[in-house]
Amino acid sequence: MGSGHSPCASCKLLRRRCTKDCTFAPYFPSDDPHKFAIVHKVFGASNINKMLQELPVHQRADAVSSLVYEANARVRDPVYGCVGAISYLQNQVSQLQMQLAVAQAEILCIQMQQDQPPMLPPSMEAISDHDLIDNDKSIFYENNMIPQYLNYSSSNSNNVIHDSLKRESFFGHDMHVS
Amino acid sequence: MTSKSTRSRCAACKYLRRRCSPDCIFSPYFPSDNPQRFSCVHRLYGASNVGKMLQKLPVHLRAEAANSLYFEAHSRQEDPVYGCVGIITNLHEEIHGVEIELARIQAHIGIHRQSNNSEDGETSQSGHGPLQQ
């Protein structure tokens, strides 16, 4: 503090000296105290610190952004957090896939009625259920962890869902609770 | 031996090396046969935060909360940078892709219907001509 360096939001909240090599300082500026407050509430400063220490520096900003998002989601929906939004979006994917299947069948019928060879546009041929699910995350779909949330509906989760739908990009700007 | 030693500790109390009381907040949701579940959740949230979150919820919602906490913790373990936000991003991209494809096919359908309607119109006009004469 003697050097004139303003403490970051985390050190202010934790009431400690903010050193030059403070892990939190680049990601929790003093002008946004809420950002650190919410991740501290959900995860705890110690856990955040450990997570950031385990990541290369160039990935820490994105990690902080995603943690802030998850923390906000958990505060808005204490039961389901982000998982409520995932469930909603999965439902949306399923509905759109059904609409797409209906449209594909209709265009095939039209083409056959016009005696055209039933050609699917290349992009349609490329689409499959397998492609639509990220293989890296498939363990959760296979183990039915996600499907149990499919029937979930809560006014709390709608805030998380609308929040996730409003934002075109999760990263590149701070996320504030509205 | 005494009856105290017959009750098995839950995964949380085993991990935390403490006595598992009959009213332990963790034991219904972190059974001893799945130690990885609690260690995963503990790594992200810490035992104290998990306990506080569960305590604040009515009992009938705690199981779902514990499951979602585990899901998020596991996602974060698999993807330390983005966690389950990565899944949300992927889903948004999938939705966007399917919407584009759907719009394209519906546009094709619209064009076909229009051309069918105009053909039908021409046919009916030519049919009426000779009759009117």
Side-chain angles (χ1 to χ4, degrees), chain B residues 5 8 13 16 24 26 29-30 37 40 43 48 57 71 91 93 100 108 111 130:
Chain B
S5 61
S8 171
C13 293
L16 298 169
C24 172
F26 299 113
Y29 320 110
F30 299 99
R37 181 175 156 98
C40 182
R43 191 162 182 263
S48 172
L57 292 171
F71 179 82
L91 285 168
E93 286 170 4
I100 287 174
H108 278 294
I111 290 168

Side-chain angles (χ1 to χ4, degrees), chain A residues 70 86 137 140, chain B residues 40 70-80 82-85 87:
Chain A
E70 283 191 36
I86 291 172
K137 309 289 186 290
F140 301 104
Chain B
C40 182
Y70 172 60
F71 179 82
E72 289 190 26
H74 194 290
S75 298
R76 184 60 62 172
Q77 205 167 53
E78 295 286 299
D79 184 350
Y82 299 106
C84 65
V85 176
I87 300 175

Side-chain angles (χ1 to χ4, degrees), chain A residues 3-41:
Chain A
S3 63
H5 166 66
S6 172
C8 69
S10 54
C11 293
K12 266 189 187 171
L13 186 75
L14 300 171
R15 294 180 188 177
R16 64 185 193 189
R17 193 171 72 91
C18 190
T19 60
K20 284 180 191 174
D21 56 353
C22 171
T23 308
F24 297 119
Y27 318 108
F28 298 102
S30 56
D31 59 357
D32 191 358
H34 173 81
K35 188 176 171 186
F36 181 76
I38 201 153
V39 293
H40 178 52
K41 182 180 180 183

Side-chain angles (χ1 to χ4, degrees), chain A residues 40-44 47 51 54-55 59 62-63 66-67 69-70 74 78-83 85-86 89-90 92-93 96-97 99-100 103-104 106-107 110-111 114 116 121 123-124 127 132-134 137 140-141 145-146 148-149 164-165 170-171, chain B residues 37 42-46 49-50 53 56-57 61 63-76 78-92 94-99 101-102 104-106 108-109 112-113 115-116 119:
Chain A
H40 178 52
K41 182 180 180 183
V42 175
F43 302 108
N47 291 329
M51 281 188 266
E54 287 171 2
L55 289 172
Q59 288 183 323
D62 278 355
S66 69
L67 288 166
Y69 182 85
E70 283 191 36
R74 183 59 62 175
V79 180
Y80 292 101
C82 272
V83 178
I86 291 172
L89 293 171
Q90 267 197 299
Q92 222 180 341
V93 169
L96 284 169
Q97 283 174 346
Q99 289 175 34
L100 186 62
Q104 286 169 347
E106 192 171 345
I107 197 83
I110 290 170
Q111 286 172 342
Q114 293 178 346
Q116 289 175 16
S123 58
M124 286 167 60
I127 290 173
L132 288 171
I133 294 175
D134 184 349
K137 309 289 186 290
F140 301 104
Y141 305 95
M145 281 196 73
I146 289 294
Q148 69 181 292
Y149 302 112
S164 76
L165 293 176
F170 292 108
F171 311 106
Chain B
R37 181 175 156 98
H42 179 267
R43 191 162 182 263
L44 179 63
Y45 297 101
N49 288 331
V50 174
M53 282 191 265
K56 284 181 185 173
L57 292 171
L61 292 175
E64 291 288 275
N67 286 339
S68 72
L69 288 169
Y70 172 60
F71 179 82
E72 289 190 26
H74 194 290
S75 298
R76 184 60 62 172
E78 295 286 299
D79 184 350
V81 181
Y82 299 106
C84 65
V85 176
I87 300 175
I88 291 175
T89 305
N90 287 343
L91 285 168
H92 276 298
E94 284 176 24
I95 287 168
H96 185 61
V98 176
E99 280 176 341
E101 191 59 29
L102 183 62
R104 205 168 67 79
I105 296 174
Q106 285 173 338
H108 278 294
I109 291 170
H112 280 291
R113 281 185 184 153
S115 65
N116 285 345
E119 283 172 9

